[in-house]
Amino acid sequence: MPDPLLLAALFLVAAALYASVGHAGASAYLAAMALLGVAPEVARPTALALNICVASLVTFRFWRAGLFYPRALLPFVLASIPLAFIGGAIHIPANLYKPLLGAVLLVAAAGFARSARRVTEDEPPPPNIPVVPAVAAGGTIGLLSGLTGTGGGIFLSPLLIVAGWATTRQASGMASGFILVNSIAGLAGNISAVGSVPADLPLWIAAVLVGAVIGAEIGSRRASPPQLRVALAGVLILAGLKLIFLG
């Protein structure tokens, strides 16, 4: 197991960066653990546990800022919750897991790079999202989130923005709630792996909560800094390519 303090520092920075855009940081936690040699069977439940803690705080902060829309989010989570549970119960061999995770990180990088150019200051009325496409998208994202140990926000936010269903800050608020419910479902589907969570988890939870407080304050009350998204996209690209081509 790598140095727990080093991982705590990496997790804190990741939580701050991700929370600023309404995400909980699972893909970054997974990248850090993969790059430092943590086994997938340990990394997945650890990332989901950290995700639940951060997403809970971030969702609350975006709700307080008037940027959380349960009614608009409902069609997505109706399909995503059961499929996240199923995905979390599926065991993926290491030789498949690393390329899959690498692809997830590249998708996350593309989403952040795209959203960095779409910051909006004035919020329109709450999102009006078509139900059928939302259910289909939610189910697909839920399955992917369960398989990879992420909350699915890295897929949902870019979709909401590209489809024109929500502004950047609205998408961030919706993503935080989506990540929370999917992380709980994914961990429930992979509950047998909870015994693999390291003893250092309380330290890492404290680190990500500190980062989440910082990031959520930036994201929920101020314009999300585009330069942070571009920097995060670069980190995810490097980690994703490393996992795909070097293992």
Side-chain angles (χ1 to χ4, degrees):
M1 180 65 65
D3 183 355
L5 291 178
L6 174 59
L7 273 175
L10 293 174
F11 290 163
L12 188 153
V13 173
L17 290 171
Y18 270 72
S20 70
V21 292
H23 292 192
S27 56
Y29 310 146
L30 289 167
M33 287 186 280
L35 291 171
L36 293 178
V38 178
E41 58 269 20
V42 174
R44 286 176 68 188
T46 299
L48 286 171
L50 296 177
N51 239 32
I52 291 169
C53 295
V54 174
S56 298
L57 188 149
V58 173
T59 300
F60 175 74
R61 296 299 289 270
F62 273 87
W63 172 73
R64 288 286 300 274
L67 293 168
F68 179 60
Y69 306 95
R71 182 172 297 180
L73 188 62
L74 183 61
F76 291 101
V77 300
L78 284 176
S80 71
I81 290 175
L83 285 169
F85 181 91
I86 293 171
I90 298 174
H91 172 72
I92 303 177
N95 63 328
L96 295 178
Y97 176 80
K98 288 185 176 181
L100 178 60
L101 176 56
V104 169
L105 298 182
L106 293 180
V107 170
F112 275 103
R114 182 185 296 273
S115 67
R117 302 191 299 271
R118 303 175 69 96
V119 176
T120 303
E121 294 182 359
D122 298 324
E123 298 298 331
N128 183 17
I129 299 172
V131 174
V132 174
V135 171
T140 302
I141 295 172
L143 182 61
L144 286 173
S145 69
L147 286 172
T148 59
T150 67
I154 55 175
F155 300 107
L156 181 63
S157 289
L159 172 64
L160 291 171
I161 295 168
V162 172
W165 292 341
T167 66
T168 299
R169 295 184 71 213
Q170 288 178 336
S172 296
M174 291 180 63
S176 63
F178 186 80
I179 289 166
L180 176 59
V181 297
N182 278 307
S183 296
I184 293 172
L187 188 60
N190 196 25
I191 196 68
S192 62
V194 172
S196 302
V197 171
D200 296 305
L201 182 62
L203 169 65
W204 298 338
I205 288 176
V208 297
L209 287 177
V210 170
V213 169
I214 297 170
E217 177 63 22
I218 294 172
S220 64
R221 301 192 181 277
R222 307 175 188 179
S224 301
Q227 60 271 28
L228 290 181
R229 301 187 184 200
V230 173
L232 185 54
V235 171
L236 294 178
I237 288 172
L238 291 175
L241 292 176
K242 188 270 181 186
L243 290 168
I244 291 173
F245 294 107
L246 300 179

